[in-house]
Amino acid sequence: MERLIEINKPEDFPQRYQDTNIAKLIEYHNFNKPQDDYENAELLIGMCMDHRKSLNIPTKFAYILRTGGANMKYSLFKISFAIAIGKIKTIAIIGHTQCGMVDLASKKEEFIQSLVENAGITQSDAKEHFNHYTKYEIGNEVDFVLSEVKRLREIYPKILIAPLIYKVEDDHLYLIKE
């Protein structure tokens, strides 16, 4: 996690993110900045669906897409909609520590058995389901977020897109060094 940038004061923001909605996001969440009122979303946040993460941000401040591992590959239309119709110009991709989409192979037997027991799926269907959807494996959280940000910047070159990590251990947001 040495690639994370801890933000303790406004001067800690890299120049690129000073006085942006990325700075506001981190200030609201990490510093409990008094929340402003918003009529329209200022940014789009793509983050993992994990239940351990909750952002401290104002109502109407952001569109939020939650997918396993913060994998936005299958959310491009939703992102484009937020840009085109919602007029957002900033995106934060937020991965997190201890992500369940890392090392999916180690979870295979538990996944299959739990689907059988909890959902009534047959053993063979559960195994096929797991094998088909392992495309959601993200590898290392930091590397994956950086690759998603790079991919999205190529698609949306005029949009400010920032890579972040939510540390489950301290409930804070960190920028990732690029």
Side-chain angles (χ1 to χ4, degrees):
M1 292 292 153
E2 68 279 351
R3 295 188 285 171
L4 301 185
I5 301 170
E6 187 171 359
I7 307 292
N8 294 310
K9 56 191 179 304
E11 299 80 39
D12 292 340
F13 285 103
Q15 183 65 36
R16 174 183 210 169
Y17 299 117
Q18 288 181 3
D19 301 315
T20 68
N21 287 315
I22 297 301
K24 286 181 186 176
L25 167 65
I26 293 171
E27 289 169 350
Y28 285 134
H29 183 77
N30 289 5
F31 307 146
N32 291 312
K33 174 185 172 178
Q35 296 190 359
D36 298 313
D37 291 326
Y38 292 91
E39 286 304 313
N40 299 300
E42 296 288 319
L43 76 157
L44 179 134
I45 297 169
M47 63 189 294
C48 189
M49 62 188 238
D50 190 287
H51 67 285
R52 295 171 291 174
K53 301 178 327 304
S54 178
L55 296 175
N56 180 25
I57 59 174
T59 301
K60 300 181 188 176
F61 176 62
Y63 292 102
I64 300 176
L65 294 174
R66 293 184 71 136
T67 66
N71 186 338
M72 298 291 120
K73 287 183 183 130
Y74 305 102
S75 300
L76 285 182
F77 183 80
K78 296 167 196 160
I79 294 169
S80 294
F81 186 90
I83 293 168
I85 304 302
K87 309 292 187 224
I88 64 108
K89 297 185 181 334
T90 308
I91 298 174
I93 301 297
I94 307 174
H96 69 95
T97 57
Q98 305 173 22
C99 186
M101 293 296 116
V102 172
D103 191 22
L104 285 175
S106 72
K107 301 168 183 78
K108 182 175 183 175
E109 294 309 316
E110 177 186 1
F111 181 96
I112 292 167
Q113 194 59 37
S114 291
L115 269 184
V116 169
E117 291 173 9
N118 298 326
I121 295 176
T122 67
Q123 183 93 14
S124 63
D125 286 348
K127 184 180 261 186
E128 184 179 322
H129 191 70
F130 181 88
N131 291 335
H132 178 73
Y133 288 105
T134 53
K135 63 187 174 191
Y136 293 105
E137 164 77 46
I138 66 165
N140 173 284
E141 299 96 329
V142 170
D143 291 337
F144 182 78
V145 169
L146 288 171
S147 70
E148 274 297 87
V149 166
K150 180 181 181 205
R151 185 178 69 80
L152 291 171
R153 284 177 178 162
E154 289 172 3
I155 297 168
Y156 307 108
K158 289 185 173 182
I159 303 299
L160 176 66
I161 306 175
L164 292 94
I165 288 289
Y166 183 109
K167 281 181 74 175
V168 172
E169 299 84 356
D170 66 11
D171 294 315
H172 278 84
L173 294 171
Y174 295 78
L175 286 164
I176 300 173
K177 290 179 191 170
E178 297 185 68

